[in-house]
Amino acid sequence: MKILKVIHGYPMRYNAGSEVYSRTLCHSLASRHEVHVFTREENPYAPDHTIRTETDPHCPAVTLHLVNQANSRDRYRHAGVDQRFAELLDIHRPDVVHIGHLNHLSTSLVLEASQRGVPVIFTLHDYWMACPRGQFLQMHPEDTSAVWCTCDGQEDRKCAERCYARYFSGAAAERDEDVQHWTRWVARRMAHIREVIDHVDTFVCPSRYLMERMRDALAIPERKLQHLDYGFDHARLTGRQRKAGEQFTFGYIGTHIPPKGIHLPLEAFGGLRGSPALRIWGRDRGQETEALHRLAAALPGDAAARVEWLPEYPNDRIVPEVFNQVDAIVVPSMWMENAPLVIHEAQQARVPVITADVGGMAEFVHHDVNGLLFRHRDPGSLRDQMQDLMDNPARAAGLGERGYIHSSDGNVPEIGAHVAALEHIYEQALNRRKRASVTHAAAPWRITFDTNPDTCNMHCIMCEEHSPHSTLQRERKEAGKPPRLMPLEFIERTVAEAAPLGLREIIPSTMGEPLLYAHFEDILRICRQHDVKLNLTTNGTFPKLGAREWAARIVPVTSDVKISWNAATEKTHGLVMLGSQWKRVLTNVREFIMVRDRHAAEGGNRCRMTFQLTFMEVNLEEIPQIVRLAAELGVDRVKGHHLWAHFKEIAEQSLRRSPESVRRWNHVVLEARDMADAHRLPNGKPVLLENFFMLDETVRGDLAPDGVCPFLGQEAWVNAEGRFDPCCAPDAQRKSLGSFGNIGEAGLLSLWNGSNYRHLVTTYHNRALCIGCNMKKPVGVRS
């Protein structure tokens, strides 16, 4: 396999946790795969975005491609970096792109890989996707001199006011226009990040804490998240031998920056009884390191003399240069860390760890089991835990011997096993893309035209346009907008264009009553003219002409008449389809079927009759009886789909909202199947049930795992203004899939074959909307 690893820094130029892990991973992958690394360097004497290639001096099988990025603090997308990456993709054609971090690179690298059909795996090391500081830290809202405080989550204006303006410009946004400027900046960044998320195949999360927080912060679909802790080279973490004869020594390993909380062990150290030592390893960061030296110099008594400052070390020398020289490691981070490598490394070397009682830190250190926890950000609490270990060195050694809490032998995950797990994730992503592939036909076989979405004589509770819970119609009226009516010319021109290439059916408006469209009878003429069938969805009221007269006109050119039908009793029917008259629509169905059957008996077309319903709590118990009613009336098919919960008022109607509701749905599916077997149509055949499949009680977000989209590359939608849409999802949601053009400006087929639509066809399986789509069917599951 050819793997392209992306990371914002690579040792030894950059030596923090994500960089060290990336190098370890690449070395191990290179034993079985071709590995390339796209990373950065900061050369102020060379032009930005130039790229050069070298090999990893410690593993020549790993090829490094270094893009120069000397100044990137104020942006998250860089066209020059995107271009270099695109060129690299085109030259080396990797099977998988595995991203570790995009800070200082460009978030659009994900889109470049996705456009080429390359699966993207993204390991989350921190919160940078939701927070450009990466750590969910912010300045105190009132006290700008305060140490960074924890942030409870992403919110555009709050982020602009408290963090972005200070972080990027160095000063608070004092004027409202400044706040508005940064709020718009935040909104643009977050909209782009959500687009990027749609193009990632799998997010790998080293800690469950990070996985849950990022899931909630960015609404990442559950199916895209996979927990997998880091892997380590055990060989470089063996052989620890504590140097004899030294006083009890605490160690700090890491960057000299405030979010790492290095000031906390210094403050705590000054209050310890006895004469322990504190050794601090890390790269000198100029003013920040100088400030820490001043803090140490101010410690009481001779404590300052017992603080030793040591330089950064090669990571493969961590045992002799660090762990042999300490009795315990302190990890005091101010932010909710993910899965600190230093904790894992210390545990593998059997060194006890003292860390904060929050986030991923507390996930890997359990108090008094394999280390000690202190109250987050509390130097007094940290001092007490340090004193405890110093007073009980044998206990400290015992805690260290327990090692990694999540394995029976105390060993952290080994890099070989970790790579094997990643290889499985790579294969899953490749296979999912193959399974999700759809055929892109020369033209759609069916087109839905939203002829008159604003014109309806009913108010069904789940209708995105006409429900009493919807504000769309009211907002249009208040804005003085006339009802949307599709120009007949759109339909005539589009059908004439697509019919020779395979168009077989057209559907007039499914949002609004199509029989109220002024040009409906012209649609019947167009169908006859181009030998295309009509596929009609109607609410069963048959306005203007009545059921018999409409049937006489519709039946000869129609493949299927779907009547919206959501109950088996008058009471429930009235609760769902507001404005409908139960007895009248029952009579209408009987009359329409009578005309249909007579026409077929005389040798004419026999169109299929369908009851189309939305599966909801309000009609769940009546669904088997709807099947029985269909059989009695001669309705050939009952087709349904699960509720799109557009409005909070109907959220509790969703049958996918809980394991209990799913369980009751699954029971009704079996009852409906039994009903179809027991009560046959007049011709002896069972009523066809469509989308009556069982759901997994444990899955909320993905109705049909690995299900193939039934629409892309096969069907098209055109809204009343001529906008080309890819599917029947609610309008607000389907807009998230992108913009594909307007048939008023270009022919349908040019949009159908356009790059934007083709890109969606190849990447839809990763889009959040498509993952949670109500219209997919599970692979291999009986309808």
Side-chain angles (χ1 to χ4, degrees), residues 646-709:
H646 316 291
F647 321 110
K648 65 180 185 300
E649 292 87 350
I650 61 172
E652 291 302 306
Q653 290 292 328
S654 173
L655 298 172
R656 300 171 57 188
R657 72 187 188 280
S658 69
E660 194 276 333
S661 63
V662 170
R663 196 173 305 121
R664 288 186 291 105
W665 157 255
N666 288 340
H667 178 71
V668 166
V669 169
L670 299 177
E671 285 189 337
R673 291 175 181 174
D674 289 343
M675 187 68 75
D677 287 338
H679 297 271
R680 302 290 177 118
L681 290 162
N683 60 12
K685 295 181 179 180
V687 172
L688 175 64
L689 304 182
E690 191 158 333
N691 297 329
F692 282 73
F693 52 80
M694 312 281 273
L695 299 180
D696 185 340
E697 294 179 16
T698 65
V699 177
R700 300 279 76 75
D702 194 348
L703 184 72
D706 294 331
V708 177
C709 176

Side-chain angles (χ1 to χ4, degrees), residues 518-537:
H519 303 293
F520 186 84
E521 295 199 55
D522 287 303
I523 293 177
L524 300 177
R525 170 183 56 79
I526 292 169
C527 289
R528 290 191 294 269
Q529 179 182 347
H530 294 281
D531 194 22
V532 169
K533 290 293 186 183
L534 177 72
N535 188 312
L536 178 66
T537 299

Side-chain angles (χ1 to χ4, degrees), residues 569-583:
T569 65
E570 182 174 5
K571 178 182 178 181
T572 303
H573 187 80
L575 291 173
V576 177
M577 303 183 69
L578 307 184
S580 179
Q581 299 177 23
W582 172 254
K583 293 183 175 62

Side-chain angles (χ1 to χ4, degrees), residues 445-451 486 491 495 503-511 514 520 523 527 532-538 559-560 562 612 639 711 715-718:
W445 75 270
R446 182 161 66 190
I447 301 173
T448 297
F449 295 98
D450 292 333
T451 51
M486 178 177 286
I491 304 172
V495 172
L503 178 66
R504 303 198 305 273
E505 288 187 0
I506 62 172
I507 300 177
S509 194
T510 58
M511 203 63 59
F520 186 84
I523 293 177
C527 289
V532 169
K533 290 293 186 183
L534 177 72
N535 188 312
L536 178 66
T537 299
T538 177
S559 59
D560 190 14
K562 300 188 292 292
Q612 181 158 290
K639 177 185 180 182
F711 305 128
E715 296 191 48
W717 277 255
V718 181

Side-chain angles (χ1 to χ4, degrees), residues 409-571:
D409 60 5
N411 289 329
V412 300
E414 197 272 326
I415 188 61
H418 178 78
V419 164
L422 273 178
E423 288 171 333
H424 180 64
I425 291 173
Y426 297 161
E427 292 291 344
Q428 280 184 320
L430 287 164
N431 290 336
R432 184 175 288 121
R433 282 186 176 254
K434 292 176 184 176
R435 289 194 297 268
S437 64
V438 296
T439 301
H440 192 151
W445 75 270
R446 182 161 66 190
I447 301 173
T448 297
F449 295 98
D450 292 333
T451 51
N452 55 314
D454 296 330
T455 313
C456 196
N457 53 4
M458 292 178 59
H459 299 279
C460 301
I461 61 170
M462 62 287 189
C463 178
E464 115 183 65
E465 291 281 348
H466 301 282
S467 167
H469 308 303
S470 174
T471 62
L472 296 177
Q473 292 299 314
R474 185 179 71 246
E475 289 167 358
R476 289 186 63 82
K477 289 179 181 177
E478 291 174 352
K481 296 180 179 179
R484 291 166 292 177
L485 294 173
M486 178 177 286
L488 181 64
E489 187 268 337
F490 281 3
I491 304 172
E492 290 186 307
R493 176 161 47 84
T494 301
V495 172
E497 181 186 15
L501 296 176
L503 178 66
R504 303 198 305 273
E505 288 187 0
I506 62 172
I507 300 177
S509 194
T510 58
M511 203 63 59
E513 171 51 55
L515 295 179
L516 293 173
Y517 180 52
H519 303 293
F520 186 84
E521 295 199 55
D522 287 303
I523 293 177
L524 300 177
R525 170 183 56 79
I526 292 169
C527 289
R528 290 191 294 269
Q529 179 182 347
H530 294 281
D531 194 22
V532 169
K533 290 293 186 183
L534 177 72
N535 188 312
L536 178 66
T537 299
T538 177
N539 60 30
T541 59
F542 294 100
K544 295 182 180 178
L545 301 179
R548 293 191 186 202
E549 183 59 33
W550 274 124
R553 302 181 187 206
I554 289 170
V555 166
V557 297
T558 302
S559 59
D560 190 14
V561 174
K562 300 188 292 292
I563 299 179
S564 299
W565 202 273
N566 285 280
T569 65
E570 182 174 5
K571 178 182 178 181

